[in-house]
Structure formats: structure tokens, C-alpha cells
Amino acid sequence: MYTLLSGLWKYMFQKDEYNVSILGLDNAGKSTYLEQTKTKFTKNYKGLSLSKITTTVGLNIGKIDIGHVRLNFWDLGGQEELQSLWDKYYAESHAVIYIIDSSDLERIDESKEAFDKMVINDALKEVPILVLANKQDLEGCMRVIEVKKVFNTSAPLIGHRDCKMLGTSALKGDGVHEGIEWLTDCIKRNSMNRPPLQRDIT
């Protein structure tokens, strides 16, 4: 009887928690994407005005609940001097969202270099990665197929882990649902390699 009640209690009042690092160069739209995610997945959430979001220096955090899954987000600053801090979060990350400013053609190679350095880190082995070609709402931006061509040589570094590139507009919220739902499925599927943190629902 106790086992039955314990199982019922866990089913009703516990969530599997997963940590997701949001990475990318500065001004890629990471913080805006996090705010849109919280807005779309959290009922009655009144977040920051997107027009007032500034460059992240350090760390922004957020969380959303999807069914019995809780995603904790770490939005890390993307300036070159802050990228050296990214790997401090890798071992505890269950997934990575890597955001590219597809309107900044001059820095696309720099973004790819940062991505390649991140993806080969052993602490992220087998961790699923969602790559977002952001700012698709801006005229003159690189389309997803063009961004894929730039990142094509990264494929051997990615290996067999789950990895998907999507176009998005963090400012307008386009593509947010699709990306988060895909990533959540991948995280759950990878839970044998990276077990969740179990927490009581609060």
C-alpha cells in the first residue's frame, strides 16, 4: 500500500528537473529568447519589456514547466571574455540552446568558432543541442539553409547526439514552441545518459 501511495505522490507532486544552457555570442538574442520562452510556457507570466533587455553580463536564469518536466535555463553572457566561463556549466547541463544572430554576417564565422569550441568539450558529450538561427524577421538576414552551410563542417564534431537547427525570431516569438518541445523530447530520451534532478513541485 505504501509503495502505491508513494508512487502516486511522486507522479502528482514531483517533476524531473533538467538544466539547459543558453549560449551564443553577445547580442545574439539569448535573453530575449529566454523571456519569450517564459512568456509562452508560463501562465500569467508578465516578464520584462523586450525592448528594455540589455546585454547579459554574467548570468540570467529562468524556468518553465512542461507536464512533469521542469527546465531550468542558464542564459550566459556571450562576450569573448565571458565565453571562458561557459564550460563551468557544462557538466550540469542536460542540453544546450545555441543562438546565432543570422543578421550579423560579419560575425557568423566567429559564432561558428565559439560553437565548435563548445561542442567538442567532453563535459557535453551526448548532450542534445538546439541551434537557433535567430532574427529571421530582419531583412537581409541569412536564411536557415545559408546558416547551415556555414556550420556544415561542424557535423563531425556534433557526432550522433540529437542536434537540430531552426529559424526563429526571439523578438516576435516565432519558432519558440517548436524548439522547446523538440528539446524537451530529446532531453527525456537522453535521460539514461544524463539523469534528471527530481524535485518536489513548488
Side-chain angles (χ1 to χ4, degrees), residues 112-194:
K112 182 187 180 299
E113 286 176 17
F115 176 84
D116 288 350
K117 186 177 179 181
M118 175 270 296
V119 83
I120 62 173
N121 193 294
D122 285 341
L124 288 176
K125 190 176 181 181
E126 298 180 343
V127 166
I129 301 173
L130 174 63
V131 184
L132 298 175
N134 190 29
K135 305 189 183 181
Q136 289 292 298
D137 54 306
L138 297 184
E139 188 175 345
C141 73
M142 297 177 71
R143 297 304 169 193
V144 175
I145 191 168
E146 296 172 301
V147 178
K148 280 184 176 180
K149 286 179 181 177
V150 174
F151 280 71
N152 188 48
T153 56
S154 301
L157 307 179
I158 294 167
H160 297 293
R161 80 185 86 193
D162 287 317
C163 185
K164 187 181 186 72
M165 181 180 288
L166 291 173
T168 190
S169 167
L171 194 61
K172 294 186 175 181
D174 299 340
V176 172
H177 258 111
E178 181 184 356
I180 293 296
E181 288 170 356
W182 176 86
L183 195 66
T184 302
D185 288 341
C186 293
I187 289 171
K188 290 191 290 186
R189 189 163 56 243
N190 194 47
S191 60
M192 290 293 288
N193 296 316
R194 292 261 168 139

Side-chain angles (χ1 to χ4, degrees), residues 9-198:
W9 184 87
K10 286 183 177 181
Y11 176 77
M12 294 181 67
F13 297 108
Q14 279 195 337
K15 288 187 183 294
D16 289 337
E17 282 199 38
Y18 300 94
N19 300 323
V20 180
S21 292
I22 303 177
L23 308 175
L25 301 186
D26 54 299
N27 201 41
K30 300 184 298 296
S31 300
T32 304
Y33 182 84
L34 176 57
E35 279 302 305
Q36 281 285 16
T37 299
K38 291 190 288 185
T39 299
K40 288 184 176 297
F41 286 91
T42 306
K43 191 176 181 181
N44 300 323
Y45 174 75
K46 291 185 173 67
L48 299 171
S49 170
L50 299 183
S51 62
K52 294 182 179 179
I53 292 176
T54 57
T55 300
T56 299
V57 179
L59 171 71
N60 290 324
I61 60 174
K63 65 182 178 182
I64 63 169
D65 293 337
I66 304 176
H68 287 280
V69 169
R70 173 166 290 172
L71 299 182
N72 299 314
F73 295 100
W74 300 328
D75 162 28
L76 303 172
Q79 297 93 327
E80 187 175 356
E81 61 272 19
L82 296 178
Q83 291 174 27
S84 61
L85 301 176
W86 289 1
D87 61 6
K88 305 295 187 292
Y89 295 85
Y90 291 168
E92 296 181 50
S93 295
H94 295 87
V96 169
I97 297 175
Y98 190 85
I99 300 184
I100 301 160
D101 182 350
S102 61
S103 72
D104 192 349
L105 278 62
E106 292 183 359
R107 299 183 75 195
I108 190 70
D109 290 333
E110 182 185 346
S111 182
K112 182 187 180 299
E113 286 176 17
F115 176 84
D116 288 350
K117 186 177 179 181
M118 175 270 296
V119 83
I120 62 173
N121 193 294
D122 285 341
L124 288 176
K125 190 176 181 181
E126 298 180 343
V127 166
I129 301 173
L130 174 63
V131 184
L132 298 175
N134 190 29
K135 305 189 183 181
Q136 289 292 298
D137 54 306
L138 297 184
E139 188 175 345
C141 73
M142 297 177 71
R143 297 304 169 193
V144 175
I145 191 168
E146 296 172 301
V147 178
K148 280 184 176 180
K149 286 179 181 177
V150 174
F151 280 71
N152 188 48
T153 56
S154 301
L157 307 179
I158 294 167
H160 297 293
R161 80 185 86 193
D162 287 317
C163 185
K164 187 181 186 72
M165 181 180 288
L166 291 173
T168 190
S169 167
L171 194 61
K172 294 186 175 181
D174 299 340
V176 172
H177 258 111
E178 181 184 356
I180 293 296
E181 288 170 356
W182 176 86
L183 195 66
T184 302
D185 288 341
C186 293
I187 289 171
K188 290 191 290 186
R189 189 163 56 243
N190 194 47
S191 60
M192 290 293 288
N193 296 316
R194 292 261 168 139
L197 311 167
Q198 286 203 327

